[in-house]
Amino acid sequence: MNPTVLTILISSLGLGTTLTFIGSHWLLVWMGLEINTLAIIPLMIRQHHPRAVEATTKYFITQATASSLLLFASITNAWTSGEWSLTEMINPTSATLALTALALKIGLAPLHFWLPEVLQGLDLTTGLILSTWQKLAPFAILLQLYPLLNPNLLLSLGILSTIIGGWGGLNQTQLRKILAYSSIANLGWMITILHYAPNLTLLNLILYIIMTLTTFLLFKIFNSTKINSIASSSTKSPLLSIITLLTLLSLGGLPPLSGFMPKWLILQELTKQSLFTPATIMALMALLSLFFYLRLCYATTLTMSPNPTNMSSSWRTKPNHPTLILLTSATLSILLLPLTPAIFTLIP
């Protein structure tokens, strides 16, 4: 792709997200979401592959449906209340429609059907953008709307997402589909606690983005898209294999790694709210997610040699910006748990 066109598209992605962040008028927020969607579509289809075309078409139809539903919800609220402000959605029907539209945009169950197939049809770089950056704008809206949303509906969407995210990833061999179901499960944790402790939702979102960034960068370095390709490529660097193992375990929420921190705090908050049954279900579903991450870790360590001196590790002799980003994000995604009290008190 032409560098000028690529720069314009990436700038448009940033512009759309920024408009949604700063907007307090529904039309401005909707405009930011539309710019975001239209900017990523050329990035998705740049491969000119049938799978990329199929994924782009599915993504466009899904996002257009969600945007239309969100616009309809805002117009309905303005019709009944006379207010276009984002925080003045007093009509319960409009709030429910807005939540449904945002759930479809980010891929919450039961509106998750598009996410695994779309992510499977993309390359790892575009899949990284779809899994991280594209989640920011909808969550910015959710974090402003959470007092107006139905807590029971949020709880139902969250529990269903953790169940489907856990079960759906068990029989997958494609890494991008596994990461898609992992995204669904992690989004379920964020939505469940949104009404009771939005600061925990923000903490979970930040950690999820850091861990997903690390995972996608590792898979891109290994050029891996299937489980068996991880096993064959883990001999490239023993240190990268160890980082991959620890990052996958952290993404699955295994203590004492960083990914355990938000799950621990969310379960604690659900217990304080006397929501014992949802907390138990989500804890059990977290074990399912951890199971297929352990399977990935087994594939990663399958071909590791006890004598790493004969292995090529050229990435260590030629440090560059992606390597520095990888090491920084890997450190954060593995070693943040001891800083839990300090991080928890800094988030408003």
Side-chain angles (χ1 to χ4, degrees), residues 149-327:
L149 301 177
N150 187 346
N152 294 325
L153 181 58
L154 288 172
L155 199 61
S156 301
L157 288 174
I159 293 175
L160 190 59
S161 295
T162 55
I163 293 173
I164 291 179
W167 280 105
L170 288 178
N171 60 343
Q172 301 296 330
T173 58
Q174 298 287 338
L175 295 178
R176 285 165 291 185
K177 282 193 174 182
I178 290 176
L179 290 175
Y181 283 107
S182 169
S183 173
I184 295 169
N186 279 282
L187 291 174
W189 284 86
M190 300 177 208
I191 291 297
T192 300
I193 204 62
L194 178 63
H195 185 79
Y196 305 101
N199 54 346
L200 289 182
T201 298
L202 183 59
L203 173 65
N204 201 344
L205 179 62
I206 293 172
L207 274 178
Y208 165 74
I209 289 175
I210 293 173
M211 292 185 293
T212 304
L213 172 65
T214 307
T215 306
F216 270 98
L217 288 177
L218 288 167
F219 290 163
K220 188 171 179 60
I221 289 174
F222 287 149
N223 195 21
S224 300
T225 56
K226 296 181 180 180
I227 291 181
N228 55 4
S229 62
I230 294 184
S232 61
S233 61
S234 61
T235 56
K236 291 181 180 179
S237 171
L239 181 57
L240 277 185
S241 298
I242 295 173
I243 292 175
T244 303
L245 187 149
L246 292 176
T247 304
L248 291 173
L249 290 178
S250 181
L251 196 56
L254 183 72
L257 302 173
S258 299
F260 173 66
M261 175 171 59
K263 292 181 172 58
W264 172 31
L265 295 173
I266 288 172
L267 289 176
Q268 185 181 23
E269 184 63 30
L270 288 176
T271 305
K272 289 180 181 178
Q273 299 292 336
S274 300
L275 299 171
F276 303 111
T277 303
T280 304
I281 295 174
M282 293 176 67
L284 292 176
M285 291 304 106
L287 295 178
L288 286 180
S289 299
L290 185 58
F291 173 77
F292 59 76
Y293 280 118
L294 286 172
R295 186 177 60 174
L296 284 178
C297 292
Y298 175 73
T300 304
T301 58
L302 193 60
T303 56
M304 287 181 65
S305 170
N307 184 17
T309 57
N310 297 326
M311 299 180 185
S312 61
S313 54
S314 58
W315 70 276
R316 287 184 289 184
T317 59
K318 299 178 181 179
N320 49 35
H321 293 298
T323 302
L324 295 176
I325 294 173
L326 170 62
L327 291 178

Side-chain angles (χ1 to χ4, degrees), residues 47-104:
Q47 289 182 315
H48 301 292
H49 189 274
R51 289 302 302 270
V53 174
E54 179 188 355
T56 305
T57 305
K58 288 180 179 178
Y59 182 77
F60 175 74
I61 293 174
T62 304
Q63 297 300 308
T65 304
S67 296
S68 302
L69 189 58
L70 188 65
L71 187 61
F72 177 72
S74 60
I75 292 174
T76 305
N77 181 70
W79 188 15
T80 55
S81 65
E83 291 288 341
W84 282 96
S85 177
L86 195 67
T87 56
E88 296 294 333
M89 184 166 276
I90 59 177
N91 187 359
T93 304
S94 300
T96 303
L97 288 174
L99 175 59
T100 305
L102 294 172
L104 181 59

